[in-house]
Amino acid sequence: MAAILEVSGLKKNYDTFSLQDVSFSIEEDCITGFIGINGAGKTTTIHSILNLVHRDAGTIKFRGKDISANEKQFKDKIGVVFDSGCFYDELSIKDMTAIISPSYSNWDNRIFQKYLERFSLRKEQTVGTLSKGMKVKYSLALALSHNAELLIMDEPTSGLDPLMREQFISILKEYLEPGGRAVFYSTHNTTDLDKSADMLIMINAGAIVFEEDKDTLLEKFRMVKGALKHLTPDIEALLLYCDKSKYGFEGITNKAETIKQYSTDLLFERTTIEEIMLAYVKEREQE
């Protein structure tokens, strides 16, 4: 698969937070989940990619071309969805769309109307009367209506009910069907990624923790549980993070086969994306 977006050495410094040499790539025909707890650096990274904040260092390439020299062409080829719409509340959907749509060379009003109907949105509705979830739907309709090659979304399922989140996943898969497209979206709610993501990138405290195929990641890690008497120093050293209580211990590991050589009295269970993410966060807190 070819890389559609390449981020290299991205840095952004604030007084209390900084991105630290952030590098990753987004592949064609993939849904890539960008995960991390609140404040990990997801939004800062996305805003830096979109040049909504000035980055201190780093290069970003779209289809092999540095976007610094091709920003207009880059933004013409992407769709963007934020959890809070950047719209004028006093305008109707019709009037707001009339302002936005000319920015795109391949705007398709037929597709836009299809998504409005699918999301039960009416052109006459005033943006300010829309709920948070409805604004996300409107943002998604805009993003999908100009033949974008890459969707970049920041917490897009925030404010959506469970049914709409299921529809959202279906829409993303439909969007990828023609081929040569990609989806990159950030979230701290990993449940949707269990169902939709192909690749996962985790950021924590402004640094990339891992970039990996989702199925490979889930196959690699296991939850380990057992009585405290079986938690030897050798086993604990192989745990990414360990919770202990008077009833026993549990921890996350990517060394399950090695741990099994130390003890046959432990329970091994499949883990979730969220458990892996939190284990990395807790590991850093323990350092």
Side-chain angles (χ1 to χ4, degrees):
M1 293 181 289
I4 192 169
L5 186 76
E6 299 167 272
V7 178
S8 303
L10 180 61
K11 295 181 181 180
K12 177 62 183 176
N13 295 309
Y14 294 105
D15 290 340
T16 59
F17 175 80
S18 63
L19 294 180
Q20 307 161 31
D21 196 28
V22 169
S23 301
F24 59 85
S25 61
I26 306 300
E27 306 293 328
E28 285 184 341
D29 305 318
C30 283
I31 296 175
T32 299
F34 191 37
I35 65 173
I37 59 173
N38 287 335
K42 303 186 300 298
T43 296
T44 301
T45 299
I46 288 176
H47 283 188
S48 298
I49 291 171
L50 298 174
N51 203 26
L52 297 176
V53 298
H54 176 74
R55 58 185 181 274
D56 297 321
T59 59
I60 300 164
K61 293 183 179 180
F62 178 72
R63 297 212 179 276
K65 296 181 179 180
D66 191 327
I67 67 169
S68 296
N70 302 274
E71 186 173 350
K72 184 176 180 180
Q73 297 93 320
F74 167 61
K75 290 187 175 178
D76 189 42
K77 295 293 185 181
I78 65 171
V80 178
V81 178
F82 293 133
D83 68 334
S84 57
C86 302
F87 308 123
Y88 297 121
D89 284 348
E90 66 273 16
L91 296 184
S92 66
I93 286 178
K94 179 181 178 180
D95 292 338
M96 190 72 243
T97 305
I99 294 173
I100 296 172
S101 58
S103 302
Y104 300 108
S105 62
N106 290 312
W107 178 263
D108 192 323
N109 202 57
R110 180 187 57 82
I111 293 176
F112 178 66
Q113 185 59 42
K114 180 190 75 172
Y115 280 112
L116 287 187
E117 294 171 1
R118 187 168 183 174
F119 298 154
S120 300
L121 295 171
R122 294 178 289 104
K123 289 184 177 180
E124 298 77 20
Q125 289 176 279
T126 303
V127 173
T129 66
L130 302 178
S131 66
K132 185 176 181 180
M134 292 172 75
K135 286 180 180 178
V136 171
K137 292 177 186 180
Y138 175 46
S139 295
L140 186 57
L142 291 169
L144 292 167
S145 297
H146 61 277
N147 295 300
E149 297 175 19
L150 170 65
L151 293 185
I152 298 178
M153 301 181 286
D154 189 17
E155 301 286 353
T157 57
S158 175
L160 298 183
D161 60 47
L163 177 59
M164 184 56 208
R165 285 165 61 189
E166 286 286 342
Q167 293 174 345
F168 171 81
I169 292 170
S170 297
I171 289 167
L172 294 187
K173 292 180 178 179
E174 289 173 15
Y175 165 77
L176 290 180
E177 283 177 2
R181 296 175 170 181
V183 174
F184 176 57
Y185 80 93
S186 75
T187 184
H188 65 274
N189 184 344
T190 61
T191 305
D192 297 329
L193 296 176
D194 286 313
K195 303 174 184 177
S196 64
D198 302 297
M199 296 290 296
L200 293 171
I201 300 169
M202 180 181 170
I203 189 169
N204 189 50
I208 298 298
V209 177
F210 61 73
E211 177 180 1
E212 195 153 1
D213 176 274
K214 181 195 70 178
D215 293 335
T216 300
L217 185 79
L218 290 175
E219 189 60 36
K220 181 187 299 184
F221 284 88
R222 288 292 183 270
M223 176 73 76
V224 187
K225 298 180 179 180
L228 282 176
K229 65 182 180 180
H230 300 307
L231 182 61
T232 65
D234 287 333
I235 291 176
E236 187 166 5
L238 295 171
L239 299 177
L240 188 62
Y241 176 76
C242 183
D243 271 325
K244 304 174 189 175
S245 73
K246 63 180 180 180
Y247 302 106
F249 78 93
E250 63 178 32
I252 302 290
T253 185
N254 58 358
K255 306 289 185 183
E257 294 306 313
T258 303
I259 290 175
K260 289 176 182 178
Q261 296 174 15
Y262 287 109
S263 176
T264 58
D265 298 306
L266 302 176
L267 177 65
F268 294 84
E269 298 177 350
R270 293 188 66 86
T271 189
T272 65
I273 297 170
E274 182 175 283
E275 288 168 338
I276 295 170
M277 179 182 77
L278 292 177
Y280 274 110
V281 172
K282 291 175 181 177
E283 178 195 38
R284 185 178 187 276
E285 291 175 347
Q286 284 185 328
E287 291 177 352

